[in-house]
Amino acid sequence: MSSAHEASARATAVATLGETIPTDAEVTPLDGRRWGMVIDLDRCTGCQACVVACQAENNIAINEENRVLERRAKTWIRIERYWEGEFPNAKARFIPVLCQHCGNAPCETVCPVWATYHNPEGLNVQVYNRCIGTRFCANGCPYSVRYFNFWNPEWPEPLNNQLNPDVTVRTKGIIEKCTFCLQRINRARVTSKNEDREIADGEVQPACVQSCPTTALVFGDLNDPSTTASRLAESERRYTLLENFGTDPSVVYLKKVDPHVEIDHHHGHHAETAGKHA
Amino acid sequence: MQEPVIADNKTANRELLDFVFSWPKWFFLVGGALNGLIVAGFLVVVVMLWFGLQFLGYSHPVYWGFLIVNFVFWIGVSHAGIMVSAILRLTQAEWRRPVTRAAEVLTIFSLLTAVQFPLIHSGRPWRTMYWTFPYDWNRGAWPNPRSPLVWDPSAIFTYLTSTILFVYVALIPDLALARDRAPNPISRAIYGVLAMGFRGSTRQWRIQAIAGILLSAIILPIFVSVHSIVSWDFAVTSVPGWHNTIFAPYFVIGAVHSGVSAVVTVMIVMRYAFGLKRYITRDHIDSLARLLIVVATVWLFFFMLDLFFGLYGTEPAEVDTWQRRLIEPPWIVLAIIFIFTAYLIPVPMWMFRSVRRNFFLMFVTTILVNIGMWIERYMVVVPALERKSGLTFTYGDYAPSLSEIILVIASFGLVILGFLTFAKLLPIMPAADIKEGQILADRIKVGRANVPAAMRE
Amino acid sequence: MSTLGRRRFVMGSTALIGGATVVACAAPERESQVQSFVLQPEQSLPGQELWFATACAHTSCGNSVVVRTIDGRAKKVEGNPAFPVNQGKLNVRSQSGVQSLYHPDRLDTPKKRRGLRGAGTFNNLEWATALDLLAEKLSDASSVTIITGPISGTRARIAQDFAGAFAGEHLVYETIESSVWRQVAKAGLGVDRLPHLDIANAHSILSFGADFLSTWISPTQYSIGYGEFRQGAGERGRLIQVEPRMSTTGANADSWVYVHPGQEGALALSIAQVIAAEGLTGNDNWFDAVNAVGGLDALNAYAPDLVAERTGVPASRIQEIAREFASHQPGLAIAGGPALASANGLDNGLAVILLNRMVGSVGRVGGLLPNPGPRTGITPPVVPTTFEALASRANAWLDGDSPDVAIVFDADPVYGMPEATRFADALGSIPFVVGIGTAMSETLGHADLVLPATHAFEEWGDFAPDPMPGQQVAGYQQPVITPFVTGRSFGDVLLTAWHEVKPETAPTWETMRDAVRAGAEQSFGGSGDFEARWIDLLKNGGAWNTAHGGSFSPSQDWNINLLAEPQFSGDEIEFPMHLVPFESVALGTGDESANPWMQATPDPITSTTWTTWVEVNPKTAAALGVTRGDVVEIRTLHGKFEATVYESPVSAPGIIGVPIGQGHRFGGRWREDRGANVLAALAPLTVAGAGGLAWAATRAAVTPTNNFKQLPTIEVVPNARNDSEEPVVQISHE
Ligand SMILES: Nc1nc2c(c(=O)[nH]1)N[C@H]1C(S)=C(S)[C@@H](COP(=O)(O)OP(=O)(O)OC[C@H]3O[C@@H](n4cnc5c(=O)[nH]c(N)nc54)[C@H](O)[C@@H]3O)O[C@H]1N2
Ligand code: SF4
Ligand code: SF4
Ligand code: SF4
Ligand code: SF4
């Protein structure tokens, strides 16, 4: 068993998670794998294909109208839309927000029962079975990507036939969130192991990444410089979300390009240069 | 300040045990009403267990609210007992004597009430043993020592244990007294077991006194740690408005403020309810009010520090939180009520001796303080969660649901009923302590000199 | 007739590119059936996933999908990675196919009407009784009309031939028509086929109202190109979107330009004038192109100064657009949405074609490319019946000139046709209406006999995508699970009835499966054993070749001087607002709105779910005395409905945008009695010369009601903004 395999075997064996408390070196893996995602905001159109793909893959409960009204709707990935300006020079900006799988995750330290912890491949893992639903982690997460189950999910028969058997259906009283489609990572791990090879770049495609029509989402090992994801993550346009929190996210955003905007690099402000008419 | 002699031994014994052995009608009425509140709260908890937390007012991303506020509030109130008993005992403040037991009992019941709130507030209370107790040695599934939610139960249970011990040690002579005066053999037997053979020998008195003093000293650091640790539930997170260094002392002094105020309220109620006019006097209330002026002002100072640090850092999120807390509607309404009730109304009033010695005004002002301090906790917990970061798309808001309001009201019922039950079963006035005070206060004539009848150890 | 339920399809398997295993194989039996571990259907291992290639649930969308099945249940729909149209990608609506498949309110038994038409009361029937009834009505009928959605391949062939055999016609109803764009291509490019847009290789796109990233024509295909267009290997493409209401595509544009409704053509000609006057193309293409359609003098009448007021776009802005578009070549100009849905839509479209010709984009990489026709043996997509034709049919039916029987499948004209056309009444004057579908719809609610159809994942079929991705593509559809309810496919119903009633004219094959296979053999047969080829076709989801095909012959006889002023229904005083209906990304025209994922998918612009809202400019809203959440009544000359106000900073004063897709009475728990149907209130105006519905040509009056409805949006703070101090979405200069 290679050390990578060993590490991943440990990642899956959540039942044994208490055997060691991860040290700092494990929290931000330096030589092993670090799964990550690059999101190119210049490609993303806000089309929501990723949102539905995630709902379909991960057995996320149906967000009935009342759930939306109560703000208890669950979307492990959501498209946030921000306005800039007023008509006629108004602009809409889209940004997909999912768990950033922080290398330095504020949600992890506060969980009293290790229900959320960092695995050796850089994933912020949620162990549903251990979670007691204090929601402390959700307070700690500056990205607000953790969702609490206020009730048991229901799929009126026969809609339940669609449920993915690879993914737990979460009961009431616990927190859930994006897993980077851990089940797909595990499947690739088993396949590659059976075929006695390493996981290839692009072999793991989380559901959102898989569906995204514009290829705005790219998933891969950020510690391996040869992957598409790590090459893209080196882009000049790279930034991480809410950098001031120091969370060391595994999700890297590439800035939206606006040819009509001139950037004041010292202050990060941007000013419109064209398009002020009427 | 030495108390004057107020009653002879016999009268004191009778009056202080009067409520324990009598059954006034109001006791059943009040007890019944309180039980009603508790049953209502219990039903809400059953519903929460069965249907999940859907009937609470929480939503994404405001996942903490009334129940946590109430938890912090009762932990705060629990600081009364030890403040009054331990500190005043160590500093030999004589006027403390009639006050201590009530304050300590208040501590026990507010702690017992407080610890229930994080439990019922969690999504799966039946599994919370994972969190509180290291339950599985074989698999090494330990709690996460980095989480304040693991520090909380350690601190609170330590505090609870030592407080119970503290009360018990002080209670032993009174248990013996109750044993000796119990009207029937059954209660005599029970008090007898509890009194652990206390007969009032010098050695027994000595051990009891030393234990009390030692416990007072040991309990003080615990007292400071409890609310510090509760404050770290907030302060160690990265939520703007929460992660403030000043939180620990700020929470502790706030706790003393609300706790001592609660003691004053309770004393005044006891004075009339239990017919203890002779023991709870204007002097007691006056002294507590003076203490409160100091505590409240230190608390205000810390509050201003919290605000000052927030603004001084000019971190936009932090400034924004403060701005909303204090200025933006609807928060401004709460902010005004809070600052007036917690400080601006009571403290200037307490400056007047006539107010300090007026039971009615003291009753009203100390109630006001606790209204204000409850709101203060609310303003710490909720607004910060509503606007956590620059992701304005997911800003939330919060309004308590009926279930939460019932639970909060029920928590008051629980504390009061606990207190009442204690007073029914055991002397709520430390008879032995009071008598000790009187002996110390007694003066005898030795020649022309008027000297104390007893010397202190 | 042998039913699919008893059949075993044993085909074979191989891995396909992209890691997805596309398998044509035995659809395992029902869950309730006891399964022997020794004698398994081939390749079905309990707990083992199988991927089947088939057609997207929406049979008209031209995407091929792979469906993950486990233990005989469809679990997840993904794009077919090898298929050239969608290249493994999928939009939101296609992904909800599993929800229409397992919808709790899916039709599972035939139903016969009880009570009045449209009342929605039915008695359940046995399949045999239902088929007998159908046969009886058909044998008595002197003419039978078939109404379907846009279809191609064997399904289309059977529908057409059936209608022929029964002395009737095949009408194709498309809610939001691609027909005007088709007519534009025909008149402007000389081909009766939708062109391929080479978005990936374009350096600029000038789009007049076409929401090609969200709902227009083939959004998945276009979005794939758009990703490359933005951040592919070449220069970063620039997108300029011109439209009266900001669409999702507009929201992604580098320059978004407001234009008065119906004035897109004038604006296009003005841009053309700047290109000509400033010699921006660097070649003489423009000269030929302009000469062919009226000459420079005619064009000069559209100089920016002269049209600034008419179009609502300042002259300087028009010049900038022209320069930006012309200086980033190859560029692509397209028209769609409201630009083509005005009374002068055809003219607007032809003006846009002129721009393409001026910059040399017709037939050039990075421009408009021709599409080949479908492969021999595969029936091409049936050209949709125009609104005008359908409305005149409705009139004729009302006048008593109706067929005896109508069979409706995968089309909901009772929902989509404006109420002013009285289409429901017209359908009611047909003596016997048969509806086939997987779920109730407004149209099926008006039928006499309702037959539950198999879902797209349960049936056989083939299709020719429309438009193709510039190359010849044939798609194949196979059942990926054993039918979950006892439904019958549209083709099977027609074939069964045909063989029963008119065996003499009936085709030789008796089932859709045989028909599809026979068609495939005709197309791909050649010499040797066809079985292996057939399995390959199913496994791959179809066949395609990389060669581009077809050609344009742009002999334009349209003249600049013909550009008409737009006409609107309703006068400006009584109806001061322009009503712009639009397709939101998940609701579309309402086809998938019964699926809860689609109802819950936030609209990209407003983030609204589950209801009908109306986008109003904040100042307009203030003038009306309404704000977010207020329910307003929107009244047109032809109807009225209620919607909830969303104050949108990108909304133009004078324009109200309302999403299509809600306001159903039928279709199950998640869509019934929810929101309002804006289409019903539209004026029955047509696009001159093209016959399409001018759905953006209705004026409306907005009056507040006293009602309030909290808008179910994902955004919490109204109008969340990207703070320039701490931007969430960071912007970079080029
Ligand atoms: N689906 C499925 N079926 C299988 C197998 C499989 O892998 N999958 N494996 C097969 C194999 S290999 C085997 S060996 C069999 C085993 O099948 P069983 O022999 O049925 O084995 P168990 O269910 O493990 O135990 C039977 C019962 O014994 C009880 N028991 C435990 N200790 C004692 C005891 O000291 N005294 C008494 N009286 N009762 C006791 C247990 O509580 C339990 O109710 O299952 C076979 N069946
Ligand atoms: S994004 Fe939030 S939930 Fe995810 S790892 Fe970071 S802090 Fe935790
Ligand atoms: S909600 Fe669950 S995961 Fe989050 S802190 Fe509490 S126990 Fe841990
Ligand atoms: S990675 Fe998987 S779980 Fe996370 S958002 Fe994407 S689809 Fe959902
Ligand atoms: S699927 Fe891709 S383009 Fe669409 S919203 Fe998601 S990330 Fe953006």
Side-chain angles (χ1 to χ4, degrees):
Chain A
M1 212 188 200
S2 71
S3 66
H5 278 141
E6 201 160 41
S8 43
R10 279 214 294 140
T12 28
V14 286
T16 65
L17 65 113
E19 112 206 15
T20 46
I21 294 166
T23 64
D24 283 351
E26 281 172 308
V27 166
T28 309
L30 296 175
D31 11 80
R33 255 189 220 111
R34 180 178 188 180
W35 294 114
M37 194 184 288
V38 179
I39 301 183
D40 190 339
L41 298 182
D42 204 31
R43 285 178 181 252
C44 173
T45 63
C47 75
Q48 314 275 348
C50 49
V51 177
V52 177
C54 182
Q55 303 268 319
E57 171 76 9
N58 289 303
N59 300 339
I60 298 175
I62 295 166
N63 291 322
E64 305 264 4
E65 183 175 13
N66 278 340
R67 307 292 178 258
V68 180
L69 288 172
E70 293 163 347
R71 291 191 213 111
R72 288 168 174 180
K74 280 172 285 188
T75 45
W76 288 3
I77 181 169
R78 58 173 189 258
I79 310 301
E80 302 198 354
R81 185 274 301 118
Y82 292 100
W83 303 121
E84 277 181 16
E86 292 290 338
F87 176 85
N89 297 311
K91 292 195 161 108
R93 312 282 196 197
F94 297 108
I95 181 169
V97 181
L98 67 165
C99 171
Q100 311 283 306
H101 293 269
C102 307
N104 206 348
C107 59
E108 286 166 15
T109 46
V110 296
C111 176
V113 292
W114 293 108
T116 183
Y117 82 111
H118 219 70
N119 91 355
E121 297 196 339
L123 263 59
N124 171 257
V125 182
Q126 180 71 11
V127 187
Y128 306 124
N129 208 25
R130 258 183 96 75
C131 175
I132 53 173
T134 63
R135 312 188 283 294
F136 203 178
C137 53
N139 294 347
C141 171
Y143 308 94
S144 297
V145 292
R146 298 184 147 262
Y147 298 86
F148 182 68
N149 280 290
F150 285 92
W151 36 67
N152 283 327
E154 271 174 31
W155 288 270
E157 300 254 3
L159 210 54
N160 53 339
N161 281 291
Q162 178 272 329
L163 294 180
N164 184 352
D166 298 345
V167 178
T168 318
V169 168
R170 282 80 56 187
T171 57
K172 67 171 189 264
I174 61 169
I175 282 273
E176 61 179 60
K177 62 153 197 85
C178 159
T179 63
F180 264 175
C181 286
L182 188 61
Q183 68 282 7
R184 292 186 176 213
I185 297 179
N186 285 339
R187 204 185 308 150
R189 176 178 296 126
V190 170
T191 319
S192 61
K193 192 185 159 202
N194 287 344
E195 294 168 8
D196 201 19
R197 58 174 175 81
E198 288 294 315
I199 298 175
D201 183 27
E203 189 176 343
V204 182
Q205 286 212 328
C208 54
V209 174
Q210 195 284 325
S211 69
C212 175
T214 62
T215 322
L217 310 175
V218 176
F219 188 80
D221 179 3
L222 294 182
N223 273 358
D224 175 354
S226 70
T227 60
T228 315
S230 42
R231 269 189 292 111
L232 286 172
E234 296 298 307
S235 158
E236 280 184 351
R237 293 188 288 128
R238 81 161 271 146
Y239 77 100
T240 52
L241 201 52
L242 307 181
E243 215 145 4
N244 53 322
F245 279 92
T247 50
D248 184 20
S250 300
V251 176
V252 172
Y253 290 86
L254 304 186
K255 289 179 189 177
K256 169 126 190 99
V257 178
D258 189 335
H260 305 294
V261 163
E262 244 167 42
I263 307 290
D264 172 354
H265 284 285
H266 299 290
H267 297 96
H269 300 183
H270 49 264
E272 303 256 341
T273 53
K276 289 224 192 282
H277 301 275
Chain B
M1 188 178 80
Q2 297 280 47
E3 290 279 321
V5 179
I6 42 183
D8 61 53
N9 249 349
K10 248 198 178 128
T11 328
N13 284 346
R14 180 172 44 74
E15 287 184 357
L16 294 178
L17 285 180
D18 178 49
F19 185 60
V20 176
F21 298 127
S22 66
W23 297 94
K25 224 181 244 153
W26 65 261
F27 173 77
F28 295 100
L29 288 175
V30 172
L34 294 172
N35 268 311
L37 291 181
I38 292 165
V39 168
F42 182 76
L43 289 178
V44 171
V45 172
V46 170
V47 167
M48 280 163 66
L49 284 173
W50 194 259
F51 294 103
L53 302 189
Q54 50 182 307
F55 300 112
L56 302 186
Y58 303 133
S59 65
H60 187 79
V62 188
Y63 283 133
W64 284 7
F66 252 43
L67 300 189
I68 292 295
V69 171
N70 208 41
F71 160 71
V72 179
F73 174 79
W74 283 119
I75 294 282
V77 169
S78 79
H79 280 54
I82 302 310
M83 174 68 200
V84 172
S85 294
I87 297 188
L88 298 186
R89 178 185 285 230
L90 290 178
T91 54
Q92 299 192 343
E94 277 305 316
W95 54 264
R96 70 163 199 278
R97 293 187 189 278
V99 181
T100 48
R101 174 84 35 83
E104 289 156 9
V105 171
L106 190 60
T107 294
I108 293 179
F109 287 106
S110 46
L111 267 180
L112 283 173
T113 303
V115 291
Q116 297 178 38
F117 275 77
L119 287 183
I120 59 174
H121 171 268
S122 73
R124 304 205 288 183
W126 56 94
R127 290 203 162 203
T128 303
M129 67 176 204
Y130 287 6
W131 150 31
T132 339
F133 303 107
Y135 76 103
D136 189 338
W137 298 61
N138 291 333
R139 273 179 288 187
W142 297 92
N144 174 7
R146 298 182 298 175
S147 169
L149 288 193
V150 169
W151 314 338
D152 266 350
S154 333
I156 291 170
F157 283 119
T158 311
Y159 188 46
L160 186 63
T161 317
S162 38
T163 309
I164 290 174
L165 217 60
F166 193 77
V167 172
Y168 187 62
V169 166
L171 201 58
I172 287 173
D174 290 357
L175 286 168
L177 189 69
R179 172 196 61 203
D180 298 344
R181 267 146 234 273
N184 60 63
I186 300 169
S187 48
R188 191 175 308 135
I190 295 171
Y191 289 124
V193 170
L194 290 173
M196 296 205 297
F198 189 88
R199 294 279 161 202
S201 74
T202 317
R203 190 173 157 271
Q204 284 176 330
W205 275 113
R206 184 183 220 91
I207 293 174
Q208 194 263 354
I210 293 175
I213 288 168
L214 278 181
L215 274 172
S216 301
I218 292 170
I219 214 164
L220 274 179
I222 303 174
F223 154 88
V224 174
S225 79
V226 171
H227 224 55
S228 298
I229 284 173
V230 167
S231 84
W232 292 333
D233 288 349
F234 307 97
V236 301
T237 67
S238 55
V239 179
W242 277 11
H243 64 282
N244 298 338
T245 346
I246 195 70
F247 258 31
Y250 169 50
F251 268 51
V252 172
I253 198 72
V256 174
H257 185 27
S258 65
V260 174
S261 298
V263 168
V264 173
T265 314
V266 167
M267 303 287 303
I268 295 173
V269 173
M270 274 167 56
R271 182 172 196 270
Y272 294 99
F274 301 155
L276 298 173
K277 293 201 174 113
R278 208 197 295 259
Y279 305 92
I280 299 167
T281 64
R282 292 182 201 281
D283 289 336
H284 294 116
I285 304 299
D286 188 350
S287 307
L288 283 170
R290 288 187 216 185
L291 177 66
L292 272 174
I293 293 174
V294 177
V295 170
T297 309
V298 176
W299 165 81
L300 186 73
F301 174 66
F302 280 123
F303 175 77
M304 300 308 282
L305 273 188
D306 188 21
L307 172 63
F308 173 73
F309 290 159
L311 301 184
Y312 189 72
T314 64
E315 199 199 317
E318 184 80 24
V319 174
D320 178 60
T321 310
W322 275 108
Q323 180 178 328
R324 269 180 329 101
R325 256 186 210 164
L326 298 184
I327 298 170
E328 278 175 25
W331 294 99
I332 184 168
V333 180
L334 283 184
I336 290 171
I337 297 178
F338 136 74
I339 198 71
F340 271 90
T341 52
Y343 195 89
L344 292 184
I345 296 174
V347 174
M349 284 177 71
W350 295 335
M351 306 300 272
F352 297 98
R353 192 178 138 88
S354 54
V355 174
R356 289 201 301 271
R357 301 186 72 83
N358 180 319
F359 287 116
F360 175 72
L361 286 180
M362 282 310 291
F363 178 77
V364 171
T365 46
T366 50
I367 293 265
L368 280 185
V369 167
N370 270 314
I371 292 174
M373 291 309 289
W374 207 98
I375 296 175
E376 184 233 30
R377 272 62 177 252
Y378 186 71
M379 288 176 53
V380 165
V381 175
V382 174
L385 289 181
E386 291 183 343
R387 310 268 194 279
K388 267 195 307 198
S389 65
L391 298 179
T392 55
F393 211 73
T394 45
Y395 279 2
D397 59 19
Y398 168 78
S401 70
L402 182 63
S403 309
E404 284 152 287
I405 294 168
I406 291 175
L407 284 171
V408 167
I409 293 174
S411 75
F412 281 85
L414 199 58
V415 173
I416 298 171
L417 187 74
F419 192 90
L420 207 57
T421 312
F422 184 97
K424 185 75 208 66
L425 299 176
L426 296 160
I428 193 69
M429 283 277 140
D433 212 23
I434 287 175
K435 285 184 284 178
E436 179 197 48
Q438 299 201 356
I439 291 165
L440 290 175
D442 235 358
R443 296 187 153 255
I444 45 170
K445 268 201 145 71
V446 178
R448 281 164 65 203
N450 194 5
V451 295
M455 299 296 292
R456 283 173 187 280
E457 321 83 272
Chain C
M1 195 190 106
S2 76
T3 66
L4 298 171
R6 267 178 263 118
R7 187 180 307 250
R8 293 276 169 88
F9 312 104
V10 183
M11 294 299 166
S13 84
T14 359
L16 202 81
I17 14 174
T21 313
V22 186
V23 189
C25 110
E29 292 295 341
R30 285 179 166 246
E31 200 165 49
S32 55
Q33 206 159 322
V34 176
Q35 231 172 46
S36 157
F37 276 78
V38 184
L39 290 171
Q40 295 270 326
E42 192 156 328
Q43 289 167 25
S44 168
L45 280 173
Q48 190 99 16
E49 63 182 15
L50 295 169
W51 293 84
F52 294 87
T54 190
C56 155
H58 214 214
T59 44
S60 60
C61 78
N63 290 340
S64 175
V65 301
V66 288
V67 182
R68 181 184 189 223
T69 68
I70 298 179
D71 296 348
R73 289 290 173 274
K75 297 293 178 185
K76 177 91 176 33
V77 195
E78 291 185 359
N80 180 346
F83 204 71
V85 179
N86 56 318
Q87 299 170 38
K89 306 302 188 182
L90 220 48
N91 64 21
V92 290
R93 277 168 289 160
S94 313
Q95 298 200 53
S96 76
V98 282
Q99 284 198 324
S100 48
L101 177 63
Y102 296 123
H103 200 289
D105 301 318
R106 193 180 153 183
L107 282 172
D108 53 2
T109 45
K111 290 174 193 293
K112 188 172 185 292
R113 176 168 62 87
R114 160 167 55 90
L116 291 175
R117 277 226 166 123
T121 44
F122 293 93
N123 289 328
N124 289 346
L125 290 184
E126 292 294 320
W127 258 108
T129 328
L131 289 177
D132 286 348
L133 180 64
L134 175 63
E136 179 199 319
K137 293 289 179 184
L138 284 176
S139 44
D140 294 348
S142 55
S143 113
V144 179
T145 289
I146 299 201
I147 307 173
T148 69
I151 52 177
S152 63
T154 306
R155 216 173 265 115
R157 179 170 161 194
I158 294 175
Q160 284 172 336
D161 293 354
F162 185 93
F166 284 83
E169 58 179 341
H170 176 205
L171 301 173
V172 172
Y173 174 71
E174 205 179 16
T175 316
I176 292 293
E177 292 158 285
S178 60
S179 70
V180 183
W181 181 235
R182 196 180 298 272
Q183 302 275 4
V184 168
K186 192 171 176 181
L189 303 170
V191 287
D192 195 4
R193 209 171 281 142
L194 296 176
H196 171 56
L197 312 179
D198 192 9
I199 293 172
N201 293 310
H203 287 178
S204 63
I205 297 173
L206 176 52
S207 159
F208 294 81
D211 193 5
F212 63 92
L213 295 177
S214 173
T215 50
W216 185 69
I217 310 267
S218 188
T220 312
Q221 185 187 146
Y222 299 151
S223 294
I224 296 168
Y226 172 84
E228 287 303 292
F229 165 81
R230 285 305 203 190
Q231 290 294 335
E235 174 189 329
R236 177 182 183 274
R238 298 196 168 210
L239 172 60
I240 307 162
Q241 181 87 0
V242 180
E243 57 194 357
R245 172 205 165 259
M246 187 187 272
S247 63
T248 302
T249 307
N252 283 291
D254 297 299
S255 307
W256 181 75
V257 183
Y258 166 77
V259 64
H260 288 324
Q263 298 293 357
E264 291 89 346
L267 182 62
L269 291 180
S270 187
I271 294 168
Q273 196 272 346
V274 177
I275 292 176
E278 299 188 6
L280 294 173
T281 64
N283 62 38
D284 285 343
N285 277 336
W286 71 265
F287 189 76
D288 298 338
V290 172
N291 265 356
V293 295
L296 194 53
D297 284 347
L299 197 56
N300 283 339
Y302 290 91
D305 290 338
L306 304 177
V307 296
E309 197 179 326
R310 176 176 164 188
T311 58
V313 187
S316 61
R317 189 87 170 105
I318 299 177
Q319 283 161 348
E320 275 170 22
I321 300 168
R323 290 172 198 147
E324 190 162 14
F325 174 61
S327 63
H328 294 86
Q329 289 297 323
L332 178 59
I334 51 181
L340 300 189
S342 297
N344 63 347
L346 185 61
D347 293 345
N348 288 341
L350 289 167
V352 171
I353 294 294
L354 171 65
L355 280 175
N356 282 308
R357 296 180 63 188
M358 287 175 74
V359 296
S361 277
V362 176
R364 174 173 70 173
V365 169
L368 297 167
L369 292 178
N371 261 320
R375 201 174 168 105
T376 345
I378 295 178
T379 311
V382 188
V383 175
T385 316
T386 60
F387 167 75
E388 203 167 25
L390 218 52
S392 77
R393 284 309 180 287
N395 273 333
W397 297 347
L398 283 168
D399 291 345
D401 181 12
S402 79
D404 295 323
V405 174
I407 302 177
V408 192
F409 166 69
D410 194 23
D412 198 357
V414 172
Y415 173 78
M417 292 286 279
E419 246 164 38
T421 61
R422 297 184 57 209
F423 195 86
D425 295 342
L427 201 64
S429 59
I430 297 176
F432 193 68
V433 177
V434 184
I436 305 177
T438 54
M440 283 307 277
S441 65
E442 312 309 289
T443 308
L444 261 54
H446 281 80
D448 300 280
L449 178 66
V450 175
L451 300 176
T454 44
H455 187 271
F457 296 162
E458 300 166 329
E459 64 190 27
W460 294 95
D462 51 5
F463 59 98
D466 187 29
M468 292 199 190
Q471 66 195 79
Q472 196 174 55
V473 177
Y476 281 87
Q477 179 187 13
Q478 60 174 331
V480 306
I481 61 158
T482 305
F484 192 72
V485 302
T486 44
R488 275 161 210 245
S489 78
F490 167 68
D492 282 324
V493 170
L494 289 196
L495 286 174
T496 312
W498 200 349
H499 278 282
E500 171 111 19
V501 180
K502 290 194 180 180
E504 66 286 358
T505 59
T508 46
W509 8 268
E510 296 196 10
T511 64
M512 266 300 275
R513 190 248 178 204
D514 294 346
V516 172
R517 195 181 186 282
E521 189 156 13
Q522 194 188 342
S523 306
F524 298 98
S527 56
D529 180 20
F530 176 62
E531 186 63 19
R533 292 283 297 138
W534 170 234
I535 289 170
D536 263 1
L537 282 176
L538 296 179
K539 220 161 50 187
N540 298 339
W544 41 89
N545 48 34
T546 43
H548 286 249
S551 63
F552 292 131
S553 49
S555 62
Q556 194 166 311
D557 55 5
W558 175 77
N559 192 296
I560 291 168
N561 296 310
L562 292 175
L563 179 73
E565 274 290 326
Q567 305 296 316
F568 296 99
S569 149
D571 65 273
E572 275 182 54
I573 310 296
E574 198 186 347
F575 300 101
M577 311 294 284
H578 276 286
L579 172 60
V580 182
F582 62 91
E583 288 181 77
S584 170
V585 68
L587 291 177
T589 53
D591 304 310
E592 311 296 334
S593 63
N595 298 343
W597 284 340
M598 296 302 94
Q599 287 282 357
T601 297
D603 167 60
I605 302 287
T606 65
S607 86
T608 313
T609 58
W610 290 103
T611 192
T612 300
W613 68 95
V614 50
E615 294 169 12
V616 187
N617 176 284
K619 290 189 185 114
T620 313
L624 286 167
V626 293
T627 180
R628 182 193 178 104
D630 284 334
V631 178
V632 292
E633 184 185 89
I634 298 169
R635 197 163 46 82
T636 70
L637 261 183
H638 299 275
K640 59 181 185 196
F641 60 94
E642 290 190 346
T644 312
V645 170
Y646 179 92
E647 281 178 88
S648 162
V650 295
S651 215
I655 302 285
I656 50 170
V658 178
I660 301 168
Q662 301 281 28
H664 286 87
R665 277 180 54 223
F666 297 95
R669 60 194 76 182
W670 285 296
R671 90 165 173 184
E672 282 166 14
D673 304 321
R674 186 174 284 292
N677 179 9
V678 53
L679 295 174
L682 294 181
L685 279 178
T686 54
V687 179
L693 171 65
W695 48 261
T698 305
R699 290 180 150 280
V702 178
T703 40
T705 67
N706 286 327
N707 299 331
F708 178 85
K709 173 180 167 49
Q710 194 193 340
L711 263 186
T713 57
I714 299 296
E715 90 181 328
V716 170
V717 179
N719 296 331
R721 289 187 166 272
N722 199 31
D723 179 5
S724 62
E725 291 288 331
E726 284 189 293
V728 171
V729 183
Q730 292 195 16
I731 316 291
S732 135
H733 191 50
E734 256 174 312

